Amino acid sequence: MQIATINGVKIHHAVTGPESGRAVLFINSLGTDFRVWDRVLPLLPEGTRVIRYDKRGHGLSECPAAPYFMGDLVAEAAGLLDHLGVGRVLVVGLSIGGQIAQGLAAERPDLVEAMVLSNTAAKIGTPDSWDTRIEEIHKGGIAALEEAILSRWFSRAFRESRPEELAGWRHMLCRTPEDGYVGCCYAIKDTDLVESTGRLTLPTLAIAGDEDGSTPPDLVRETAGLIPGARFHLVRGAGHLPCVEQPADVAAALTEFMKETALVREI
Ligand SMILES: O=C(O)CCC(=O)CC(=O)O
């Protein structure tokens, strides 16, 4: 198990693949830990250097008291890359992870060569919607919202046909510490990256799920539209977590993007 103290927080992370390989940083979503990428990783090009971590309040990382700020989440992603000394990476961020990726690209362009924004946006939800969610969790815990959250995370077909897997993801969600989950809700509530993301020029691939109830395709497409040349890929038969539901499709899109951006890197 690899733990490093970054920005004063103990961050659980894992690095696999050869040191000479293309480095890819994966950042997971609200209520998930880095196992959310498990089904995609074996399908990536051989020799990829994969860096995963649990953001604060999730997985095996330390859970400071809520609220959290996007600036801290970005500082921890940057601090981890500095700590590992891997240089510029391709960042793949899912939902809040995609917001951290956008923030990282804006704050530390020396660390990010390209990004994949999966099921995310420059701004997610409204302050009122996040206040309501935070209040409901304080009253009834994450369990009070689990059905609603799972119905946004996964397509109906997945929920009906894969009950054992659904149970596993339910456990991951409900075992997220309340401070970790609510802390990140505060960070998303206060985040509006429209201006800073609109100034980005790095190669970008945006991915959406056609049944995503959290960040629907049009919202993801809107954020992609802020970045000149960004490509958009729609995953069919997927909710908010296409990396779980349609890993082959996500891995193929990522592999294609890695090939394209490898050419950009060599110029
Ligand atoms: O998944 C995230 O990181 C934030 C977006 C969200 O609200 C997911 C959900 O619907 O619970």
Side-chain angles (χ1 to χ4, degrees), residues 8 22 87 124 126 152 166 178 199 259 261 266:
R22 174 100 183 257
I124 301 176
T126 61
R152 297 191 292 263
L166 186 68
E178 198 169 304
R199 288 194 293 271
K259 277 188 203 147
T261 52
E266 279 160 17

Side-chain angles (χ1 to χ4, degrees), residues 62-190:
E62 193 177 344
C63 182
Y68 305 160
F69 300 94
M70 189 54 68
D72 282 322
L73 300 174
V74 170
E76 281 144 24
L80 178 64
L81 291 175
D82 285 337
H83 167 78
L84 296 171
V86 285
R88 294 181 92 205
V89 299
L90 164 61
V91 181
V92 181
L94 176 63
S95 202
I96 187 175
Q99 293 195 315
I100 297 169
Q102 293 168 67
L104 187 63
E107 296 287 321
R108 291 289 308 273
D110 57 308
L111 292 176
V112 187
E113 60 172 5
M115 58 181 185
V116 176
L117 302 178
S118 180
N119 304 73
T120 190
K123 182 171 167 46
I124 301 176
T126 61
D128 280 354
S129 70
W130 289 106
D131 279 339
T132 305
R133 194 184 301 202
I134 291 164
E135 206 179 295
E136 283 172 350
I137 288 171
H138 282 322
K139 276 194 207 137
I142 296 176
L145 297 183
E146 67 180 74
E147 287 310 329
I149 293 172
L150 291 171
S151 74
R152 297 191 292 263
W153 279 12
F154 300 110
S155 67
R156 179 182 292 277
F158 181 97
R159 284 179 275 129
E160 289 178 357
S161 64
R162 290 156 71 173
E164 286 87 6
E165 279 177 71
L166 186 68
W169 295 107
R170 183 190 300 275
H171 297 155
M172 184 184 281
L173 170 67
C174 292
R175 288 174 192 163
T176 306
E178 198 169 304
D179 266 313
Y181 190 94
V182 164
C184 286
C185 290
Y186 278 110
I188 301 172
K189 172 188 162 185
D190 292 338

